Amino acid sequence: PTVLSVVGARPQFVKAFPVSRLLRERVREVLVHTGQHYDFGMSDVFFEELDIPEPEYNLGVGSANHAVQTGAMLREIDAVVESEEPDLVLVYGDTNSTLAGALVAAKRTVPVGHVEAGLRSGNWSMPEEVNRVLTDRCSDLLFVPSERAVETLAAEGITDGVTVTGDVMYDAVLRVRDRTATEATVLDDLDLGRGEYVLATVHRQANTDDPERLAAIVEGLASSPRRVVVPLHPRTRNALDRHDLLERASNALTLIDPVGYVDFVELLAEAERVATDSGGVQKEAFYLDVRCVTLRDETEWVETVEAGWNELVGADAGAIRRALRRTDELPEKPPLYGGGHAAERVVDGVVAFLEPEA
Ligand code: UD1
Ligand code: UDP
């Protein structure tokens, strides 16, 4: 059988990393890169470092507004599905590449598998929330990270095909953590002491496109008692420039280009704490025992907040300042999102679906 896996944005490369190799031991995988992310530091570096198979197709879709970008993906993915005739389309996460893959498959009545199904932020103005809900509705196999996601899907009437696998990103972190000591160079490059700096990442549409929120985040981070290192997403660099905040940000913060995954895991693991609006980084912080301050009003990773390891502060400079200074002890960590064997469970689920007799 043939599985067509669709990736396109940075978080999807990280998620496909533990899954793709395993999948290829069991079935024929055709990997499609939509081209949503295309800079070396946003795309190629992950394939090289993580030894992700080279995509059979790169659709070169690039950047545009949601409709134009998703529309171009629909057209291009559809042509690949037509010629490859896959038995399943596998999608990851909640980006426009995820939705496009799922929608093409649903319209061609090809079964869809969704890794990271069942997550909800409850905020419908978030483009990713639209992608999550619609992708789950199109999916036949829903691979979810937690029991909570099972309940969320059940409340929407989705009960068939749901499997709790844990989080494939935990698998990814565990596999890379072994390599950071010998391969990561970023702490030396930036002259950073372990536990002496704050790591920050910002790229969410709601934060970059609203100049008031972006300015408040810059001021909040600038009030940190420690040095703040920010690997800057290209979207955010453009937004800082557009909103006349780049000079202020580069004076107050250590702005660097996006880094590869080995350096990122090292930066995160050795940070005193992290401030982020990323989905993936909230979980990775938890896995690496790092306190997380989330620059959003809500999160789909609610378990990390309930566990006391993640604090939602929105885009409020005062709240960010206070959160960066908190020194209370963190509670004992409950096990969340599985034990780091999610990729095996995803692959087992895919194979069982495609070869029920095997
Ligand atoms: C996308 C996802 C988001 C995910 C994020 C991960 C959607 C709707 N959003 O957001 O869920 O958290 O990826 O990083 O799918 N750009 C470059 N070079 C690149 C890629 C992007 O310069 O290689 C710039 C372009 O100006 C582009 C902007 O970043 O317009 C936004 O890129 P896009 O892929 O549309 O959305 P992200 O903000 O990256
Ligand atoms: N990441 C990275 N280098 C960076 C920033 C992030 O390797 O400079 C990794 C990060 O560890 C995470 C993944 O990229 O696993 C996706 O993160 P992003 O915040 O872009 O997307 P999200 O999870 O919010 O969709």
Side-chain angles (χ1 to χ4, degrees):
T2 298
V3 173
L4 192 93
S5 301
V6 180
V7 297
R10 177 168 68 184
Q12 290 158 338
F13 311 142
V14 174
K15 291 165 197 173
F17 148 58
V19 175
S20 186
R21 292 269 161 205
L22 278 182
L23 191 60
R24 282 174 189 232
E25 293 172 9
R26 314 274 296 272
V27 299
R28 173 172 177 257
E29 184 191 43
V30 175
L31 187 60
V32 176
H33 185 326
T34 63
Q36 177 169 352
H37 287 175
Y38 45 84
D39 290 347
F40 179 82
M42 296 292 287
S43 175
D44 291 11
V45 67
F46 296 93
F47 287 83
E48 288 182 7
E49 268 189 356
L50 303 178
D51 202 23
I52 302 166
E54 193 178 330
E56 277 74 19
Y57 294 85
N58 191 319
L59 307 179
V61 163
S63 305
N65 74 38
H66 289 283
V68 172
Q69 184 183 60
T70 311
M73 290 175 188
L74 291 174
R75 180 190 294 261
E76 298 293 326
I77 296 169
D78 190 56
V80 178
V81 170
E82 186 171 33
S83 68
E84 293 286 346
E85 299 183 357
D87 301 287
L88 182 91
V89 170
L90 190 65
V91 297
Y92 294 87
D94 56 15
T95 76
N96 289 345
S97 298
T98 314
L99 176 62
L103 193 52
V104 165
K107 293 292 179 79
R108 284 198 177 263
T109 65
V110 176
V112 176
H114 184 201
V115 178
E116 233 179 58
L119 297 163
R120 300 290 180 266
S121 69
N123 177 0
W124 191 247
S125 70
M126 187 180 186
E128 293 83 1
E129 184 79 350
V130 177
N131 294 341
R132 289 178 197 123
V133 170
L134 298 181
T135 300
D136 284 345
R137 190 64 190 80
C138 291
S139 295
D140 301 85
L141 296 179
L142 299 102
F143 300 113
V144 306
S146 66
E147 289 295 337
R148 164 99 46 147
V150 177
E151 292 162 24
T152 301
L153 289 170
E156 295 179 15
I158 301 175
T159 51
D160 287 348
V162 180
T163 308
V164 181
T165 57
D167 178 18
V168 294
M169 230 172 200
Y170 188 27
D171 303 23
V173 169
L174 290 175
R175 287 178 58 175
V176 164
R177 189 60 180 129
D178 293 338
R179 296 170 46 186
T180 56
T182 48
E183 294 178 41
T185 60
V186 66
L187 298 188
D188 286 345
D189 295 346
L190 296 172
D191 198 18
L192 291 169
R194 293 172 197 278
E196 289 174 1
Y197 61 93
V198 173
L199 174 67
T201 81
V202 183
H203 71 274
R204 210 47 66 201
Q205 175 173 294
N207 286 337
T208 56
D209 292 12
D210 178 340
E212 278 178 28
R213 284 183 72 97
L214 191 59
I217 288 171
V218 170
E219 288 316 313
L221 295 177
S223 74
S224 162
R226 292 187 169 77
R227 188 168 161 201
V228 180
V229 180
V230 191
L232 207 53
H233 191 293
R235 174 189 199 112
T236 313
R237 183 173 290 279
N238 295 341
L240 288 169
D241 194 23
R242 188 166 72 245
H243 304 316
D244 284 328
L245 293 165
L246 195 51
E247 196 181 328
R248 169 67 180 143
S250 54
N251 287 335
L253 313 169
T254 302
L255 304 183
I256 60 172
D257 285 335
V259 296
Y261 197 57
V262 174
D263 273 337
F264 192 83
V265 168
E266 175 84 344
L267 265 181
L268 179 55
E270 302 302 338
E272 186 266 340
R273 72 190 74 193
V274 63
T276 189
D277 63 8
S278 162
V281 177
Q282 292 174 63
K283 302 177 278 174
E284 290 168 330
F286 182 82
Y287 303 143
L288 293 166
D289 298 333
V290 177
R291 182 190 285 253
C292 185
V293 176
T294 292
L295 309 167
R296 290 174 45 188
D297 302 323
E298 76 295 301
T299 180
E300 54 286 351
W301 302 102
V302 279
E303 295 93 338
T304 60
V305 178
E306 290 167 359
W309 280 72
N310 186 7
E311 182 182 1
L312 296 172
V313 295
D316 180 290
I320 297 168
R321 182 178 192 280
R322 287 187 295 278
L324 292 178
R325 279 158 203 271
R326 240 181 278 294
T327 55
D328 52 310
E329 282 272 313
L330 292 178
E332 203 172 315
K333 248 180 28 166
L336 300 180
Y337 311 133
H341 298 282
E344 287 151 54
R345 300 213 171 116
V346 167
V347 172
D348 284 346
V350 166
V351 172
F353 177 80
L354 294 175
E355 298 174 339
E357 279 83 54

